[in-house]
Amino acid sequence: MGKNEIEIKSSLNLAQAAGYLRDLAACLEQGRVVLQRGDEFMELCPAQNLELELEGAAKKGRQKISLELSWRLGHVEPTAQLKISAEAPTPPPVEEAAPEAPAAPVAAGETPVIVEAPVESLAKAETPEDEEKKAGRGGRK
């Protein structure tokens, strides 16, 4: 069975490109995207869960964003959170570790508050021997 595909390349101004992206977003929300160039067209019906590849690159006076959406006709669980913004993120403030306060007693009838530590904080710290093993130098003898 052959591939049915259509490729469209065009030079646009910024407003036109933004308009195409808005149109694409609206079509995705409707569950149907029709791509057309002249008499040639292709209809796509996206699944509820999509795979997204987004790549940004800058080199030698040229910048680009590559966007690829794909899906299978079966069920795929969403795996990641993505934020697209016109603003660069501000780094979180660096806080000094405060001494841990003792837990306050819970009064009768109140629900205790439980705070879970992130999984990363539970990981085993690497020793110099672990680092040597990773580097392929073996441990001490």
Side-chain angles (χ1 to χ4, degrees), residues 86-108:
E87 300 293 324
T90 53
V94 177
E95 296 180 20
E96 292 184 26
E100 196 170 307
V106 178

Side-chain angles (χ1 to χ4, degrees), residues 106 111-115:
V106 178
T111 304
V113 176
I114 300 172
V115 178

